[in-house]
Amino acid sequence: MSRTSTQNILVSTTPRLEGWEIREYLGAVSAHVVAGTNIFSDIAASWRDVFGGQSQSYKKQLEQINEQVVDELREEASARGGNALVGLRIDHDQISGQNKEMFMVTASATAVRAQSSSKQNSAGRQEGEKAVTAREVSTEEQIVRLNKKAQHGDLKLKENRWRFLIENQVADLAGFIQNTVIETLDGLVGRPTGNRKKQLENARDYFLSIPEDSAKDNLYNMTSHDESRVVDWAVGVLEDGNLLDLGRIETMLKGDFYEEQKPALEILTRVDKPYYDKEDLGRLGALKSMIENGFGKKGKVIEVEVEESGMFSSDTKKKEVWQIKDSARNPMDQKYCSETGLDIYGFGKTETRPDEALGVLKTKIAALNRRFERS
């Protein structure tokens, strides 16, 4: 039995396919995914401001979830030898408990094998797909001009250009936008205001509009920056877009402690995926094991000689102190280094620690297990 590429499988919400004849019904197929926490409440909030930046990003999230579940139907139809799906239906079921919200997206349809009733029309459609409109050409010309300006270092991001980049999802300038964000946050004291604030808002909307892989490439790269404001901004955008990437987190947990492992913990506690499948349970469990076994003391305890003076004589004794990153030596009863602000495990007072990330992972794994057991 030959299999049709999943990308070529037709999908219809009606029982028929216009211009196609159904030759064989191959049975009902269904699929489901579990979406990330709190997305419904966030989406509801975003609709209160139809023209706000969030409405576009959450619309994109819903589209991604629906595309994922329909792709699973296509896989099943292809496995049965079908080349089309009819009667598509998508349902959303909200799940609440323990102050958490998730929802199940379920899709069902009938897999069929169909044949085009008009090869001539099909060929005509294929020819039509090769045509490019004048508007599309004009858009590409504008992108070429913006790229040249960026390469020459004279691209000024005015409001109309931001709108163009966002509306047309122009990923070409993602690196330039990344540098713009870093420059905007560099040396900033207090909260951004005025033009800086607007630039950061536009940059956020930009990264949430471009293809997901391009956004992740730049945002995850920014989480390794040595400026904490840049890291926090990047994690915030990842959080807004539900752009958790378990594969990237695994790579980060194998990398440098300060530049990759610590940001990975922050991302795990704040960022979600738009949906989860059963394979994610294994990935989450693997990350849990890596965190349980991968973190320990980053500082060292050393002995130093201390001279103690008495009334008639002085004596030299050995005393233990601790040190991190070859900085100041600290008394054992002092929790944070006087120079770096880090404790002996390498964490600052407000930074996310392994036990916090483990708590989030354990709760998420338990919630997913409960949901998949009932499905």
Side-chain angles (χ1 to χ4, degrees):
M1 180 186 297
S2 62
R3 294 183 59 168
T4 302
S5 168
T6 57
Q7 296 302 315
N8 295 328
I9 290 179
L10 302 174
V11 179
S12 173
T13 57
T14 68
R16 306 178 187 82
L17 290 167
E18 188 69 28
W20 290 72
E21 180 183 352
I22 296 177
R23 290 298 185 90
E24 184 178 359
Y25 288 87
L26 303 173
V29 291
S30 63
H32 60 263
V33 295
V34 179
T37 59
N38 296 325
I39 188 173
F40 271 150
S41 58
D42 289 342
I43 292 170
S46 73
W47 292 134
R48 288 197 287 269
D49 180 9
V50 178
F51 299 103
Q54 288 196 20
S55 60
Q56 182 177 2
S57 64
Y58 287 116
K59 178 182 177 183
K60 181 179 177 182
Q61 290 180 35
L62 283 176
E63 290 173 349
Q64 290 174 344
I65 295 168
N66 290 339
E67 287 173 5
Q68 168 69 15
V69 77
V70 172
D71 283 344
E72 292 190 16
L73 289 186
R74 285 191 171 105
E75 290 281 356
E76 181 63 24
S78 176
R80 297 189 185 192
N83 63 349
L85 292 162
V86 295
L88 172 68
R89 176 175 175 175
I90 300 179
D91 296 310
H92 302 87
D93 298 313
Q94 189 172 2
I95 312 161
S96 300
Q98 297 181 343
N99 297 323
K100 296 289 184 180
E101 291 185 359
M102 304 182 78
F103 69 101
M104 175 74 78
V105 182
T106 303
S108 59
T110 300
V112 300
R113 187 178 297 116
Q115 181 177 352
S116 174
S117 58
S118 176
K119 294 182 179 179
Q120 182 176 355
N121 288 343
S122 176
R125 283 195 300 272
Q126 292 176 2
E127 287 297 322
E129 290 172 356
K130 296 178 182 178
V132 180
T133 66
R135 182 176 180 180
E136 290 170 336
V137 173
S138 176
T139 298
E140 293 300 323
E141 289 174 341
Q142 177 69 356
I143 293 172
V144 170
R145 287 192 288 269
L146 291 176
N147 272 320
K148 286 183 178 179
K149 285 182 174 292
Q151 291 168 5
H152 295 151
D154 58 357
L155 175 59
K156 305 299 181 182
L157 288 171
K158 300 178 181 179
E159 191 63 25
N160 62 326
R161 285 177 175 169
W162 276 116
R163 291 304 101 197
F164 175 83
L165 295 176
I166 293 168
E167 290 170 6
N168 293 284
Q169 303 176 2
V170 183
D172 306 49
L173 292 173
F176 180 85
I177 303 301
Q178 178 186 160
N179 291 333
T180 298
V181 170
I182 293 172
E183 291 172 4
T184 301
L185 291 169
D186 185 36
L188 180 66
V189 178
R191 293 185 177 183
T193 58
N195 185 56
R196 284 191 175 190
K197 180 180 178 181
K198 189 61 179 176
Q199 287 281 77
L200 294 173
E201 289 173 350
N202 283 329
R204 171 198 174 278
D205 290 347
Y206 169 80
F207 280 118
L208 294 180
S209 74
I210 64 176
E212 190 172 292
D213 283 344
S214 295
K216 287 180 179 179
D217 285 345
N218 288 272
L219 292 169
Y220 275 83
N221 181 59
M222 293 171 73
T223 64
S224 296
H225 199 274
D226 56 7
E227 171 57 57
S228 61
R229 286 182 178 271
V230 174
V231 176
D232 187 63
W233 185 89
V235 175
V237 179
L238 290 171
E239 184 179 10
D240 290 342
N242 277 357
L243 295 175
L244 176 62
D245 189 313
L246 300 181
R248 292 174 191 262
I249 295 296
E250 180 179 357
T251 299
M252 292 174 73
L253 287 174
K254 296 176 182 177
D256 179 79
F257 173 74
Y258 294 100
E259 294 185 358
E260 297 180 89
Q261 292 182 17
K262 288 172 64 174
L265 297 178
E266 178 74 6
I267 295 169
L268 277 174
T269 57
R270 290 176 53 183
V271 183
D272 229 325
K273 292 185 63 178
Y275 54 81
Y276 292 87
D277 55 37
K278 289 185 177 180
E279 291 183 357
D280 287 328
L281 279 171
R283 298 188 186 101
L284 291 168
L287 295 178
K288 174 175 165 289
S289 296
M290 292 179 71
I291 295 173
E292 289 173 334
N293 301 315
F295 289 85
K297 291 181 178 179
K298 298 302 175 183
K300 57 186 177 181
V301 176
I302 56 179
E303 283 189 343
V304 295
E305 291 185 348
V306 179
E307 186 174 299
E308 295 184 353
S309 298
M311 184 176 297
F312 300 107
S313 64
S314 61
D315 190 17
T316 300
K317 293 185 178 181
K318 290 186 176 181
K319 181 180 179 180
E320 285 190 337
V321 295
W322 66 275
Q323 185 182 37
I324 189 164
K325 297 181 76 173
D326 295 325
S327 60
R329 296 176 176 181
N330 307 280
M332 294 303 296
D333 60 353
Q334 181 174 309
K335 188 171 183 180
Y336 294 99
C337 175
S338 59
E339 184 176 335
T340 65
L342 303 176
D343 65 11
I344 197 168
Y345 293 92
F347 292 94
K349 293 180 180 180
T350 61
E351 292 180 325
T352 301
R353 297 171 180 272
D355 57 341
E356 297 175 69
L358 284 173
V360 171
L361 284 176
K362 289 175 181 178
T363 300
K364 197 180 299 293
I365 290 170
L368 290 172
N369 273 321
R370 283 173 55 85
R371 186 59 199 177
F372 286 129
E373 286 171 3
R374 294 200 299 267
S375 62

